[in-house]
């Protein structure tokens, strides 16, 4: 008689490639010794049911215990005469039936469902029905990343009838789960006090993908990005003047002689911000801070408006140093507001600051974080209860962060230790001036924060946290359903 292989189905109504936490769950399950098995080397089988889009991590794709079942994304077109509310309802109904079809008929019966929330509609109802269709033999665990109704409220207003119905739906089906995980203590308390949902806190932690990059790794990345930085489409700024050297091993940041790689003393400071280009991140704050930094540096160096910017840029490209560096802000991510902000960036008249937007493959993004000098987070939680995972990844890479201040952000960012908190563009501009004064050799405040970020990132790992807080929840749910 063949031994049963226990399975967990991970459900994401969205792009699995942009759901790192759920990919980490999959990897942890797929490599965890299955305690229900008589074979000590047997691991859980994991079925990921999600939409396609971005490429998942290579480790996820190549793991023989992980099976990805890609659903078609629902995009309704030609509905201009139909109200937005009706269009959303039609989309939710279609998604509901697609989900149920996959969860009941396209995958083997799981012993537990692990569901990302949000989105709540129709995911939670579809999973609950699918569990029932499997004769109730499937456990149901929700991983609360945020509350869906507050995200919807950002575009419709908290008093909109659709938002109120969404909140009722989320609360009702959220309480039907066998167990729950969540991302902060603040969310844990809120769920318990307001919805009667008992959740265990599983903080996001960096995985092995994120670490400070070795100098040769950084140089290889800089060579790869050099054309996109120095020869961008429709950008004219202090970096778009092009390289003055035809040597492919010479970049804005580093150069190579034989086997030796070195960083340039005249290099710009590299700032990274990862964004989904949605309304919960006010990108205007970063644009305004960039303008303020640029003007304040000009004032500090006694430059007047008559300065020849082209000559300045030529001098900078030849290696001329100033007490305040140029700033290159690389903005990664995809989202609906990207084009709008790119147009704003192109219209800015800045001497020492430039923006580049790009989407990096999964293997390059950790290298970018590990090679940068500072991270910026503009995330403003719709609920005030979640934390941006991108900051966790930055800390794993030894990258300190300037982050928008909100109610629970101090659970992650310790102001003055591993990063700085700001509430306005002017405050962020002040922080940039302070951190990059004397860059790259005489910026002790920045180096202290980098040490603090690395200490935070290395304090505990995802695998340790998952074994301690997530697996007992999944184990208990499966045990009850056996």
């Amino acid at each position: 008689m063949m031994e049963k292989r226990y399975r967990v189905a991970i459900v994401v109504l969205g792009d699995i490639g942009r759901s790192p936490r759920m990919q980490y769950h999959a990897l942890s399950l797929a490599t965890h010794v299955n305690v229900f098995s008589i074979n000590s080397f047997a691991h859980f089988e994991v079925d990921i049911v999600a939409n396609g889009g971005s490429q998942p991590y290579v480790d996820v794709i190549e793991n023989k215990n992980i099976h990805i079942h890609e659903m078609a994304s629902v995009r309704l077109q030609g509905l201009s005469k139909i109200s937005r509310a009706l269009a959303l309802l039609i989309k939710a109904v279609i998604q509901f039936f697609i989900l149920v079809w996959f969860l009941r008929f396209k995958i083997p019966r799981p012993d537990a469902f692990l569901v990302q929330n949000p989105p709540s509609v129709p995911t939670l109802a579809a999973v609950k029905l699918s569990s029932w269709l499997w004769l109730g033999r499937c456990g149901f665990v929700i991983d609360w990343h945020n509350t869906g109704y507050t995200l919807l409220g950002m575009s419709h207003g908290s008093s909109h009838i659709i938002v109120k119905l969404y909140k009722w739906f989320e609360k009702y089906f959220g309480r039907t789960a066998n167990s729950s995980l969540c991302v902060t203590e603040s969310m844990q308390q809120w769920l318990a006090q307001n919805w009667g949902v008992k959740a265990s806190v599983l903080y996001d932690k960096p995985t092995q993908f994120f670490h400070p990059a070795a100098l040769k790794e950084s140089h290889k990345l800089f060579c790869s990005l050099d054309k996109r930085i120095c020869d961008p489409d429709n950008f004219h700024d202090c970096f778009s003047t092009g390289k003055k050297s035809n040597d492919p091993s010479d970049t804005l940041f580093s150069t190579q002689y034989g086997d030796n790689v070195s960083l340039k003393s005249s290099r710009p400071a590299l700032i990274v911000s990862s964004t989904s280009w949605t309304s919960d991140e006010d990108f205007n704050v970063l644009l305004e801070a960039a303008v303020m930094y640029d003007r304040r540096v000009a004032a500090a160096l006694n430059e007047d408006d008559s300065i020849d910017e082209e000559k300045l840029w030529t001098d900078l490209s030849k290696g001329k140093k100033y007490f305040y560096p140029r700033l290159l802000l690389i903005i990664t991510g995809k989202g609906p507001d990207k084009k709008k902000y790119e147009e704003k960036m192109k219209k800015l008249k800045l001497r020492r600051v430039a923006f580049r937007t790009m989407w990096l493959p999964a293997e390059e993004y950790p290298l970018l974080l590990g090679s940068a000098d500072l991270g910026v987070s503009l995330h403003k939680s719709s609920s005030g209860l979640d934390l941006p995972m991108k900051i966790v990844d930055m800390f794993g890479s030894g990258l300190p962060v300037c982050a928008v201040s909100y109610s629970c952000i101090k659970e992650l960012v310790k102001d003055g230790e591993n990063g700085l908190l700001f509430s306005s563009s002017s405050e962020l501009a002040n922080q940039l001036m302070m951190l990059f004064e004397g860059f790259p050799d005489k910026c002790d405040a920045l180096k202290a924060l980098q040490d603090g970020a690395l200490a935070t990132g290395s304090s505990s790992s995802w695998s340790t946290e998952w074994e301690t807080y997530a697996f007992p929840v999944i184990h208990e749910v499966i045990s009850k359903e056996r």
Side-chain angles (χ1 to χ4, degrees):
M1 182 177 177
M2 291 186 62
E3 181 189 1
K4 172 181 169 58
R5 296 294 300 272
Y6 285 89
R7 310 184 76 97
V8 175
I10 292 177
V11 184
V12 178
L13 188 58
D15 183 347
I16 184 59
R18 297 172 67 184
S19 301
R21 180 176 167 104
M22 302 311 286
Q23 293 184 70
Y24 298 165
H25 275 301
L27 287 169
S28 294
L29 284 162
T31 56
H32 183 87
V33 175
N34 189 339
V35 296
F36 302 110
S37 173
I38 59 175
N39 180 355
S40 61
F41 296 100
H43 302 287
F44 284 92
E45 295 287 329
V46 180
D47 295 291
I48 297 177
V49 179
N51 297 125
S54 306
Q55 183 89 336
Y57 292 120
V58 173
D59 288 18
V60 171
I61 296 173
E62 295 182 349
N63 192 294
K64 62 182 178 63
N65 296 320
I66 299 176
H67 318 279
I68 300 177
H69 308 267
E70 186 175 311
M71 300 181 293
S73 298
V74 178
R75 294 183 176 87
L76 299 181
Q77 298 177 348
L79 294 176
S80 57
K81 296 182 180 179
I82 301 178
S83 72
R84 179 172 174 79
L86 182 56
L88 289 174
L89 177 60
I90 293 172
K91 181 177 180 179
V93 171
I94 295 173
Q95 289 175 324
F96 175 82
F97 284 108
I98 291 175
L99 262 175
V100 172
W101 172 257
F102 269 79
L103 299 182
R104 179 57 182 86
F105 301 105
K106 295 284 284 184
I107 65 173
R109 180 182 74 82
D111 298 285
F113 291 109
L114 177 58
V115 188
Q116 174 183 293
N117 184 78
S120 316
V121 178
T123 319
L124 301 185
V127 172
K128 188 63 181 177
L129 176 61
S130 300
S131 177
W132 179 77
L133 290 174
W134 281 114
L135 303 179
R137 291 181 294 168
C138 305
F140 177 16
V141 180
I142 298 175
D143 190 9
W144 296 82
H145 297 192
N146 200 349
T147 52
Y149 82 92
T150 57
L151 285 171
L152 189 63
M154 295 189 75
S155 57
H156 289 76
S158 59
S159 60
H160 196 288
I161 184 63
I162 293 179
V163 177
K164 291 182 178 180
L165 289 173
Y166 198 111
K167 181 179 180 180
W168 173 87
F169 181 100
E170 187 171 23
K171 177 180 179 180
Y172 177 82
F173 283 100
R175 296 170 69 174
T176 66
N178 299 100
S179 195
S180 290
L181 300 167
C182 65
V183 295
T184 64
E185 291 184 5
S186 297
M187 184 177 290
Q188 179 190 48
Q189 296 168 6
W190 189 93
L191 287 170
Q193 294 171 4
N194 293 277
W195 287 359
V197 172
K198 183 180 179 181
S200 297
V201 179
L202 174 63
Y203 281 115
D204 285 319
K205 295 292 179 181
T207 64
Q208 72 276 12
F209 304 121
F210 295 94
H211 54 81
L215 187 54
K216 288 188 176 181
E217 289 180 311
S218 296
H219 180 68
K220 184 178 179 180
L221 176 70
F222 295 148
C223 290
S224 173
L225 300 180
D226 200 59
K227 181 174 176 58
R228 281 189 275 178
I229 294 171
C230 296
D231 190 21
D233 293 331
N234 302 318
F235 277 87
H236 184 62
D237 51 45
C238 57
F239 300 114
S240 65
T241 52
K243 284 203 310 180
K244 299 306 176 185
S245 169
N246 294 321
D247 184 354
S249 66
D250 182 65
T251 76
L252 279 170
F253 302 92
S254 57
T255 191
Q256 182 173 5
Y257 297 98
D259 292 332
N260 297 319
V261 176
S262 60
L263 292 174
K264 294 181 176 180
S265 62
S266 60
R267 68 184 182 273
L270 178 56
I271 301 175
V272 177
S273 183
S274 309
T275 179
S276 54
W277 301 102
T278 53
S279 55
D280 63 347
E281 295 176 308
D282 185 0
F283 216 82
N284 286 311
V285 173
L286 185 54
L287 298 185
E288 292 168 1
V291 173
M292 291 178 187
Y293 174 88
D294 200 65
R295 291 175 179 172
R296 291 174 186 177
V297 170
L301 298 176
N302 295 316
E303 294 176 352
D304 58 33
D305 293 338
S306 63
I307 188 173
D308 185 340
E309 291 182 352
E310 296 289 343
K311 183 179 184 305
L312 172 65
W313 294 346
T314 299
D315 291 342
L316 289 168
S317 68
K318 290 180 178 179
K320 185 173 182 179
K321 285 188 63 175
Y322 291 88
F323 201 57
Y324 292 95
R326 292 173 290 172
L327 304 184
L328 175 62
L329 294 101
I330 294 183
I331 318 301
T332 69
K334 298 177 181 178
D337 291 338
K338 181 179 178 180
K339 288 186 177 180
K340 178 181 76 173
Y341 283 111
E342 283 180 330
E343 290 303 314
K344 289 187 176 183
M345 293 173 193
K346 292 173 185 177
K347 295 176 181 177
L348 296 176
K349 302 296 184 182
L350 303 173
R351 295 178 184 174
R352 289 180 170 82
V353 184
F355 290 87
R356 296 292 182 267
T357 60
M358 57 185 71
W359 175 258
L360 296 176
E363 63 272 15
E364 284 191 351
Y365 177 66
L367 287 178
L368 177 63
L369 295 188
S371 304
D373 300 297
L374 181 70
V376 172
S377 171
L378 301 170
H379 178 80
K380 293 186 300 182
S381 173
S382 63
S383 62
L385 302 172
D386 72 308
L387 294 171
M389 190 169 187
K390 58 194 170 190
I391 295 182
V392 175
D393 296 337
M394 290 174 180
F395 288 164
S397 304
L399 186 63
V401 63
C402 292
V404 171
S405 180
Y406 62 92
S407 56
C408 72
I409 190 66
K410 292 182 180 179
E411 288 189 41
L412 179 60
V413 180
K414 311 301 180 184
D415 195 32
E417 295 181 19
N418 54 20
L420 298 173
L421 300 176
F422 63 88
S423 301
S424 67
S425 53
S426 179
E427 194 172 0
L428 175 57
N430 288 338
Q431 293 172 355
L432 296 177
M433 291 286 289
M434 183 268 293
L435 291 175
F436 290 115
E437 182 179 359
F439 181 87
D441 301 318
K442 299 178 181 179
C443 44
D444 294 340
L446 177 63
K447 291 176 181 177
L449 291 183
Q450 289 171 339
D451 291 340
L454 186 59
T456 300
S458 59
S459 61
S460 63
S461 65
W462 166 268
S463 59
T464 301
E465 293 288 309
W466 190 88
E467 290 282 350
T468 304
Y469 300 105
F471 183 71
V473 170
I474 298 170
H475 176 271
E476 182 180 7
V477 167
I478 293 178
S479 297
K480 289 181 178 178
E481 300 301 324
R482 293 183 71 193

